[in-house]
Amino acid sequence: MEGFQVVSRGPLTAPLTGEVRVGGAKNSALKLMSAALLAPGRTVVTNVPDILDVHVMGHLLEELGCSVTVEVGNGDEGAVVAGRAVIDVPEELHPEAPYDLVRRLRASISVLGPLVARCGRARVALPGGDNIGSRGLDMHLTGLRELGAEVRIEHGFVVAEVPGGLRASNLWLDFPSVGATENLVMASVLAQGTTVIDNVAREPEISDLCGMLRAMGAVIDGVGGSTLTVEGVDRLVPVEHETVPDRIVSGTWAFAVAVAGGDLTVAGGRAHHLDIVLDKLASAGAEVSTDSADGFRVAADKRLESFDVVTLPYPGFPTDLQPFAMALAAVSDGTAMITENVFEARFMFAQELARLGADLRTDGHHAVVRGRPVLSGAPVVAHDIRAGAALVLAGLAAEGTTTVAESHHIDRGYPSFAEVLSGLGADVTRIDLPDPER
Ligand code: EPZ
């Protein structure tokens, strides 16, 4: 089983120095690829990251009748190179997304809206929950019903049918869900009439998707705000669209310097997508400069002060950076309260961090973390993308050897993570770990 090995003598002993280039956002590229389904012809999504999930989404689109080529560049060892996905969409789609692909990629659910909009019907396997939460879909399904679709759950599939085509309506989301916003916007662009969706997600990935849909000919107002107005059109056209940079990967590099020390330029990262994160790191004692047009710089040469975190939908503190905030708090000066408001099971990571000697307590969606000068290396397990990457960073602040098993999770979201880290001065390598006793 593949794993990562991290060897360190503790915080600030192997500072990370140099420049990293951030590629396109996983959580946008996957939805942009789904949006291609809305227009027959060739759509090209550029700046896609070279990660597993992009290839799985490519396979899913092929199952739906498209022909897909994912081209990823061959950069120098550890270099992140922008790829592109060339998607040829036929007039006739096969609107059925099989379980064996959907269970590997939750983002597959984002084909539901486009399929119902284009084909008037869809059968998409239910992705089920994962290690960070139950991951409900009620808002997706309720919204489609309000747009006139008959929706039922059958043999593990969402089955949606609307023979006469979707009809506009006024929708309201109970929570600004990213996934529900994306599916309902993509369903509404071809609906008859004007749909108003209130309390939508405002993440930069949503604006990126709306930007592509508009270029395809969709009429959408209110992008970036909490209400979207979508005037349905008869037909969309294929386009070429560049994926927005990955703000979660950018934030991960900022936390990497905060935990291990160093001086890093995060090229291609957009500081204004991370305002609250960079503000907190600066107030904790890191040096943050955002005046470069092509990215930002973070430097730290001492132990930072603890800070509290409350995860919220954008522009609040991103839940995907919560494990990194917890790893930093474990070696910061003071005590931090971390509150997780988006995913109810996102503290599984805390138990793995405790294995590295972190002094923390969790209670429901609160965690209290008392900072310690140094952690101690140990074998740990990655339960999801962000938790895995955060454990690697925690290993940089631990004395001795840390091994992170199930590192395939990390590869799902971070191109060449081990190689980039070792290029910056860290002792991080890929290793083979014995398969755990079954
Ligand atoms: C997206 O997940 C991202 N995934 C997640 O990133 C990210 O953490 C999340 O948005 C929040 O920013 C992708 O884009 C592929 P939600 P999504 O719908 O769309 C509940 C990563 O590490 N909910 O905003 O699934 C849901 O259970 C991943 O890259 C319902 O109850 O997130 C959750 O508790 C992890 N019913 C909350 O809302 C619904 O119908 C937020 O979910 C929809 C959501």
Side-chain angles (χ1 to χ4, degrees), residues 161-234:
E161 285 154 345
V162 59
L166 293 166
R167 291 181 306 284
S169 178
N170 291 335
L171 311 179
W172 170 272
L173 299 184
D174 294 338
F175 180 90
S177 150
V178 169
T181 301
E182 292 162 339
N183 251 329
L184 297 175
V185 167
M186 289 195 280
S188 307
V189 288
L190 292 175
Q192 294 144 41
T194 300
T195 298
V196 176
I197 316 174
D198 252 316
N199 196 28
V200 297
R202 300 165 56 199
E203 274 67 3
E205 296 76 33
I206 301 286
S207 302
D208 197 27
L209 173 65
C210 291
M212 177 173 158
L213 293 170
R214 280 173 153 171
M216 295 170 81
V219 180
I220 308 173
D221 280 327
V223 177
S226 44
T227 300
L228 290 173
T229 303
V230 185
E231 194 184 321
V233 295
D234 297 340

Side-chain angles (χ1 to χ4, degrees), residues 187-388:
S188 307
V189 288
L190 292 175
Q192 294 144 41
T194 300
T195 298
V196 176
I197 316 174
D198 252 316
N199 196 28
V200 297
R202 300 165 56 199
E203 274 67 3
E205 296 76 33
I206 301 286
S207 302
D208 197 27
L209 173 65
C210 291
M212 177 173 158
L213 293 170
R214 280 173 153 171
M216 295 170 81
V219 180
I220 308 173
D221 280 327
V223 177
S226 44
T227 300
L228 290 173
T229 303
V230 185
E231 194 184 321
V233 295
D234 297 340
R235 202 171 167 78
L236 296 176
V237 296
V239 292
E240 174 154 334
H241 180 86
E242 180 173 347
T243 312
V244 71
D246 197 317
R247 67 193 163 95
I248 302 300
V249 171
S250 302
T252 301
W253 290 121
F255 273 102
V257 173
V259 170
D263 187 333
L264 200 56
T265 298
V266 182
R270 297 209 179 138
H272 66 274
H273 287 164
L274 288 167
D275 284 343
I276 189 169
V277 175
L278 297 178
D279 284 356
K280 282 192 175 279
L281 289 175
S283 59
E287 201 190 311
V288 176
S289 42
T290 60
D291 39 28
S292 146
D294 175 35
F296 57 87
R297 176 176 154 268
V298 180
D301 58 6
K302 62 180 186 308
R303 195 173 172 211
L304 300 190
E305 278 152 42
S306 293
F307 55 84
D308 296 347
V309 159
V310 176
T311 69
L312 286 168
Y314 189 87
F317 192 98
T319 174
D320 294 346
L321 291 176
Q322 179 259 94
F324 302 99
M326 192 183 278
L328 175 60
V331 289
S332 291
D333 190 2
T335 300
M337 164 80 92
I338 299 193
T339 304
E340 173 57 54
N341 288 314
V342 180
F343 290 109
E344 72 281 3
R346 200 156 210 175
F347 279 156
M348 261 177 88
F349 161 74
Q351 300 330 308
E352 294 300 318
L353 193 58
R355 287 183 49 71
L356 297 176
D359 179 355
L360 52 82
R361 304 269 178 291
T362 61
D363 177 8
H365 64 158
H366 295 294
V368 173
V369 186
R370 290 191 190 80
R372 310 190 62 190
V374 63
L375 299 176
S376 58
V380 291
V381 179
H383 290 297
D384 67 79
I385 302 172
R386 312 305 169 183

